[in-house]
């Protein structure tokens, strides 16, 4: 029986399906649900920031844009959960998505981690879900991979 479920959301259709599946399992098992969006900073080499130096204007503009996008994705997940009659705790992380998802699952003591089979872009599809593959390989809990 699952008590705590973590679902990864990235704004893609497959992640919306993953959220729906997580909410359905949560309803059936009366589990709590957490959603996480990870801003993948590794895709933007200029965002590997030196903590001792403030970001320049261009870096800050990209950071602000990614922050807004993350907030929109998480707000959408919250709206969908509310419409489904569920309460959703949201989390925003920065870094490598697979590593951040598995780390948060451990922090929360998640019994189930739900991820989509691939992300938003063609590159993600080419790697056939490098994030989901990472989560399957590194998670300490059960993982559900939702396919399109």
């Amino acid at each position: 029986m699952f008590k705590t479920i973590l679902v990864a959301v990235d704004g893609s259709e497959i992640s919306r399906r993953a959220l729906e599946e997580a909410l359905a399992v949560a309803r059936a098992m009366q589990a709590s649900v957490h959603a996480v969006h990870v801003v993948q900073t590794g895709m933007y080499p200029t965002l590997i920031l030196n903590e001792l130096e403030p970001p320049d204007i261009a870096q800050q503009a990209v950071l602000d844009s990614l922050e807004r996008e993350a907030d929109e994705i998480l707000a959408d997940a919250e709206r969908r959960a509310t419409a489904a009659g569920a309460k959703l705790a949201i989390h925003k992380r920065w870094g490598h998505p697979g590593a951040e998802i598995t780390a948060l699952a451990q922090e929360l003591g998640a019994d189930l981690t739900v991820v989509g089979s691939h992300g938003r872009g063609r590159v993600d599809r080419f790697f056939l879900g490098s994030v989901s593959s990472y989560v399957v390989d590194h998670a300490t809990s059960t993982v559900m991979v939702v396919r399109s």
Side-chain angles (χ1 to χ4, degrees):
M1 192 153 166
F2 301 121
K3 294 180 181 176
T4 305
I5 299 171
L6 175 63
V7 58
V9 294
D10 68 1
S12 67
E13 184 58 37
I14 193 70
S15 81
R16 285 189 278 281
R17 291 204 46 219
L19 177 62
E20 290 169 8
E21 291 291 332
L23 293 170
V25 171
R27 273 192 304 274
M29 301 201 170
Q30 298 178 333
S32 64
V33 185
H34 298 258
V36 62
H37 176 76
V38 181
V39 178
Q40 189 170 350
T41 54
M43 290 183 66
Y44 306 94
T46 60
L47 294 183
I48 299 171
L49 302 173
N50 179 344
E51 292 182 15
L52 301 176
E53 296 178 26
D56 66 24
I57 294 171
Q59 284 177 317
Q60 191 61 53
V62 172
L63 288 169
D64 292 346
S65 175
L66 292 170
E67 183 89 21
R68 280 190 305 277
E69 180 184 38
D71 291 342
E72 289 169 10
I73 289 167
L74 289 168
D76 179 62
E78 255 185 325
R79 281 190 298 275
R80 290 173 184 277
T82 300
K87 186 175 179 183
L88 183 71
I90 60 170
H91 306 269
K92 181 174 23 178
R93 297 288 185 103
W94 295 77
H96 179 273
E100 292 298 326
I101 293 164
T102 55
L104 181 58
Q106 283 189 313
E107 289 170 28
L108 296 171
D111 307 297
L112 175 66
T113 303
V114 182
V115 294
S117 60
H118 57 270
R120 295 187 299 186
R122 289 184 178 169
V123 172
D124 288 329
R125 287 191 200 117
F126 174 75
F127 289 114
L128 193 55
S130 59
V131 172
S132 57
S133 180
Y134 183 97
V135 172
V136 167
D137 290 343
H138 293 88
T140 57
S141 66
T142 301
V143 177
M144 175 190 292
V145 178
V146 177
R147 298 192 179 278
S148 57

